[in-house]
Amino acid sequence: MKKICVIGAGTMGAGIAQVFAVNGYMVVLRDIEQEFVNKGISIISKNLSRMASKGKLEEVMIQPILSRIIGTTDPADAQDCDLVVEAAVENMKIKKQIFSELDNICKPSTILATNTSSLSIAEVATATKRPDKVIGMHFFNPAPVMALIEIIKGVATSDETFDAVKALSLDLGKQPVQVDEAPGFVVNRILIPMINEAAAIYAEGVASAQDIDTAMKLGANHPIGPLALGDLVGLDVCLAIMDVLYEEFKDSKYRATPLLRKYVRAGWLGRKSGKGFFDY
Ligand SMILES: CC(=O)CC(=O)SCCNC(=O)CCNC(=O)[C@H](O)C(C)(C)COP(=O)(O)OP(=O)(O)OC[C@H]1O[C@@H](n2cnc3c(N)ncnc32)[C@H](O)[C@@H]1OP(=O)(O)O
Ligand SMILES: NC(=O)C1=CN([C@@H]2O[C@H](COP(=O)(O)OP(=O)(O)OC[C@H]3O[C@@H](n4cnc5c(N)ncnc54)[C@H](O)[C@@H]3O)[C@@H](O)[C@H]2O)C=CC1
C-alpha cells in the first residue's frame, strides 16, 4: 500500500495523517470544509516543528513530510488510494453515508477502514458492496504518540484484509491488537466508563475537577487525569461511546452521567472547543 486517504481532519484524522506521512506514505486528507482541512494540516505542521525542536525529527524533513499530505474537500480524491481510514464523527448514519460514497469511488482492491471508537464494523460494512474489505483500524489519541492500534474484524472482514492492516500497522511502528467486534472493543469499554465515573464524582461534589485528576495521577499513576483525558478525547466522543455501550448492553453501569450530556449540549467539548471540565 502506498497511498492512503484519511477522512476527517479533526482531532484524530490530523494525527493519523501525520503518522502515515512521517512513515513515507502519500496521504489525501479530506474534510467537508477547506478551513477544517487547513486547520488539520496546520496542527500537523506544529507537531512536526515541536518534534524537530526536541531533536526527534530533522528540521529538513518537515517540508518533505508535509508535501506528502494533500488536503481536499473532494470525495473523488480518494479514487486511487489503497486504503481509506475514516475518522469522521462518531455517528453511524454519517459513517454509512461516507462508506457508501467511498465504495462507489474507490478501486475494488481498496480497503475501507474506520477509526470508530465503538460502533459496529459489520453495520458500517452493510453500506458497501465490499464487506470483506471493511475493517476497524482504531488509533489512540494522540495518534502520533500512542503505540496501540486495535484492529477490529467485522463478521465479514476477510483474513486477507486483517493481515494487510496488521502488516501496515507494524510498518507504522505501531503495536496492533486483534479485537473481534464488540461494543467499545477493548480499551474504550474499560477507559471511557472510568471517565464517565470521574464526571459523576465531580457532579456529586465529592471533589474538585483538579483534585479528582490529581488523585488518579498520584493514586493510580495515570499520566493524565480522567477529566483532562475526557477533554483531550472530546466530551462529545466520550458521550457517544457511553451511549453506544448503554444501547448495546442495556446495563445501567454504562449510563452516561447527566453532567456529561449537559456539557456536550452546551458545546463544552474539551480541548477542541476551548472548554470542557477545564479551560483551554
Ligand atoms: C476515544 C478513543 O476511541 C480511544 C482513545 O484514544 S482513549 C485515549 C487514549 N489516550 C490516552 O489515554 C492518553 C494518556 N495521556 C498520555 O499518554 C499523555 O498525557 C500525553 C502523551 C497525551 C501527553 O504526555 P505528557 O507527558 O503529559 O505531555 P508532553 O510531554 O507534552 O507529551 C509527551 C510527548 O507526547 C507528544 N505529544 C503530546 N501531545 C501530543 C499531540 N496532541 N500530538 C502529537 N504529539 C503529542 C509531545 O510532543 C511529547 O513528545 P516527546 O516525548 O517526543 O517529547
Ligand atoms: N477523539 C479521540 O480521542 C478518538 C476518537 N476516535 C474516533 O475517531 C473519529 C473522529 O473523532 P475525532 O477526531 O475526535 O472527531 P472530531 O470532531 O475532532 O473530527 C471529526 C472531523 O470529521 C469531519 N467530518 C464530519 N463529517 C464528515 C464527512 N462526511 N466527510 C469528511 N469529514 C467529515 C468533521 O468536519 C471533523 O473535522 C470518531 O469516530 C471517534 O469516535 C478514535 C480514537 C480516539
Side-chain angles (χ1 to χ4, degrees):
M1 286 189 240
K2 292 189 175 46
K3 192 169 182 182
I4 312 294
C5 176
V6 177
I7 303 286
T11 306
M12 292 306 290
I16 294 166
Q18 178 182 325
V19 171
F20 279 108
V22 163
N23 284 281
Y25 292 84
M26 287 303 295
V27 181
V28 173
L29 179 60
R30 193 223 153 198
D31 209 305
I32 46 180
E33 303 284 346
Q34 192 59 43
E35 69 170 293
F36 301 155
V37 175
N38 297 343
K39 186 175 172 218
I41 291 175
S42 92
I43 287 171
I44 295 169
S45 177
K46 284 197 191 88
N47 279 336
L48 296 176
S49 300
R50 179 165 63 176
M51 285 170 72
S53 68
K54 293 184 174 179
K56 301 262 177 175
L57 179 75
E58 293 294 319
E59 188 83 30
V60 288
M61 290 306 294
I62 293 179
Q63 273 318 312
I65 292 168
L66 289 173
S67 69
R68 288 197 278 272
I69 301 172
I70 303 144
T72 183
T73 56
D74 183 356
D77 286 341
Q79 193 168 20
D80 61 345
C81 292
D82 305 302
L83 166 81
V84 180
V85 182
E86 171 274 323
V89 292
E90 188 70 343
N91 173 296
M92 180 56 85
K93 186 164 177 286
I94 292 177
K95 289 192 186 307
K96 286 165 92 168
Q97 280 166 356
I98 292 169
F99 273 73
S100 171
E101 187 178 66
L102 289 168
D103 196 37
N104 294 323
I105 290 167
C106 297
K107 54 193 181 190
S109 61
T110 303
I111 290 173
L112 304 180
T114 173
N115 187 54
T116 183
S117 296
S118 60
L119 294 169
S120 164
I121 310 302
E123 184 172 349
V124 170
T126 62
T128 76
K129 294 182 285 302
R130 65 179 88 186
D132 61 311
K133 290 190 170 61
V134 175
I135 193 164
M137 187 177 191
H138 186 207
F139 291 79
F140 283 73
N141 187 355
V145 177
M146 306 303 283
L148 177 67
I149 292 180
E150 283 181 332
I151 306 179
I152 308 117
K153 293 182 73 173
V155 287
T157 307
S158 71
D159 290 345
E160 188 190 355
T161 298
F162 175 84
D163 293 345
V165 170
K166 180 175 179 180
L168 178 62
S169 302
L170 293 168
D171 187 55
L172 294 174
K174 300 293 187 183
Q175 294 180 39
V177 162
Q178 177 173 352
V179 177
D180 268 1
E181 180 174 318
F185 315 133
V186 173
V187 174
N188 284 343
R189 185 167 161 185
I190 301 165
L191 189 67
I192 306 301
M194 177 195 73
I195 294 172
N196 186 57
E197 199 58 34
I201 292 169
Y202 177 61
E204 292 163 23
V206 173
S208 70
Q210 196 56 59
D211 283 349
I212 290 167
D213 277 15
T214 300
M216 287 303 287
K217 285 195 284 189
L218 300 184
N221 240 7
H222 288 188
I224 183 174
L227 297 177
L229 180 57
D231 281 351
L232 174 72
V233 165
L235 300 184
D236 52 335
V237 175
C238 294
L239 178 61
I241 296 166
M242 289 308 295
D243 284 347
V244 165
L245 292 174
Y246 185 75
E247 200 41 51
E248 295 286 319
F249 292 109
K250 299 282 192 285
D251 188 329
S252 63
K253 73 179 177 184
Y254 295 120
R255 184 180 65 89
T257 299
L259 183 70
L260 190 57
R261 201 175 304 277
K262 181 157 73 170
Y263 278 15
V264 172
R265 284 176 174 149
W268 295 5
L269 308 182
R271 283 196 195 187
K272 65 180 163 185
S273 69
K275 184 177 181 53
F277 289 103
F278 302 104
D279 295 321
Y280 298 89

